[in-house]
Amino acid sequence: DAGITQSPRYKITETGRQVTLMCHQTWSHSYMFWYRQDLGHGLRLIYYSAAADITDKGEVPDGYVVSRSKTENFPLTLESATRSQTSVYFCASRPQGSREFFGPGTRLTVL
Amino acid sequence: AQSVTQPDIHITVSEGASLELRCNYSYGATPYLFWYVQSPGQGLQLLLKYFSGDTLVQGIKGFEAEFKRSQSSFNLRKPSVHWSDAAEYFCAVGAQDNNAGNMLTFGGGTRLMVKP
């Protein structure tokens, strides 16, 4: 199916473990984004990518790593998960000059 | 830096009543403005957007919003709320950025509850 998908949809992990959240879009949109959603903060940008092999930090990048070897994929890795990274993570993509299309979200719990 | 404030964390209205959700932004130039809705457990759905032109914009599901430059506001309105409108609403401002185009900054959200 066309669109933007995220996997897993739910994840429980332990402090110190590495976790990778996947994001895949079928539109070949140039831009992709990772946001985290926390109560009272709305959505905050973690990292974004303007094209394959081009990534940059957003508002809250610490503790996260991204890569974009292919246009359609934009994985987000928590190298050593902390409890403060318990959140709902949204991936989004956007073609040039348009607006974001959001994925369904991944709910991550770090114990 | 741009910022967005949604002063009301929770709002409760009766079904059939009118609704206005407030959004104030801070940005040095003409912003791009958005309203998104998020139903429980779901992703974000775009309700409407303002890029330029007519300051009163119409969106989906009977929503509208008015851009008021003098007040730095972009309030969302609906004349008659339906129970299915219960959700969380996010205002967002976008700024031109050479690296990422229209990077979005979101407000903290307003949770709308609808009484029967």
Side-chain angles (χ1 to χ4, degrees):
Chain A
D1 289 341
I4 183 166
T5 57
Q6 294 182 232
S7 61
R9 294 292 313 279
Y10 302 90
K11 177 72 176 179
I12 300 175
T13 191
E14 295 177 335
T15 302
R17 290 190 179 269
Q18 183 179 79
V19 178
T20 295
L21 309 183
M22 303 302 294
C23 178
H24 176 78
Q25 53 110 350
T26 61
W27 295 302
S28 299
H29 288 171
S30 301
Y31 297 111
M32 295 190 75
F33 305 83
W34 273 108
Y35 293 89
R36 60 177 290 173
Q37 182 181 26
D38 304 289
L39 198 63
H41 290 280
L43 278 79
R44 292 180 291 176
L45 183 65
I46 304 171
Y47 269 95
Y48 65 91
S49 169
D53 297 322
I54 300 175
T55 63
D56 210 342
K57 296 178 180 179
E59 180 185 354
V60 287
D62 293 344
Y64 302 96
V65 174
V66 294
S67 62
R68 194 158 177 215
S69 57
K70 294 183 178 181
T71 300
E72 61 266 29
N73 296 324
F74 191 41
L76 176 74
T77 298
L78 288 66
E79 293 188 303
S80 179
T82 64
R83 289 180 180 168
S84 65
Q85 293 177 308
T86 292
S87 186
V88 181
Y89 291 85
F90 287 98
C91 180
S93 70
R94 176 164 62 80
Q96 184 91 25
S98 184
R99 51 85 173 182
E100 269 86 333
F101 293 80
F102 284 85
T106 295
R107 183 174 294 276
L108 175 67
T109 301
V110 182
L111 302 176
Chain B
Q2 62 216 50
S3 65
V4 179
T5 301
Q6 292 179 246
D8 305 305
I9 297 175
H10 294 100
I11 282 184
T12 300
V13 300
S14 298
E15 190 168 16
S18 64
L19 171 70
E20 183 169 30
L21 302 183
R22 294 184 291 166
C23 172
N24 295 100
Y25 68 89
S26 173
Y27 182 59
T30 301
Y32 298 159
L33 294 159
F34 305 80
W35 274 100
Y36 285 87
V37 60
Q38 183 182 32
S39 298
Q42 302 299 311
L44 279 76
Q45 181 183 23
L46 181 68
L47 283 176
L48 49 78
K49 62 184 184 292
Y50 170 79
F51 280 7
S52 65
D54 193 345
T55 57
L56 183 63
V57 293
Q58 302 297 319
I60 62 172
K61 304 184 179 185
F63 285 93
E64 67 177 26
E66 187 171 10
F67 170 52
K68 293 186 176 180
R69 183 191 303 273
S70 61
Q71 299 177 18
S72 298
S73 69
F74 189 57
N75 294 348
L76 182 71
R77 300 192 294 251
K78 187 170 184 178
S80 178
V81 170
H82 188 263
W83 64 267
S84 60
D85 294 324
E88 186 141 22
Y89 292 80
F90 292 95
C91 181
V93 62
Q96 277 296 337
D97 177 278
N98 289 334
N99 291 327
N102 210 5
M103 290 179 64
L104 293 184
T105 297
F106 285 83
T110 297
R111 183 169 296 277
L112 173 66
M113 291 172 279
V114 180
K115 294 190 299 184

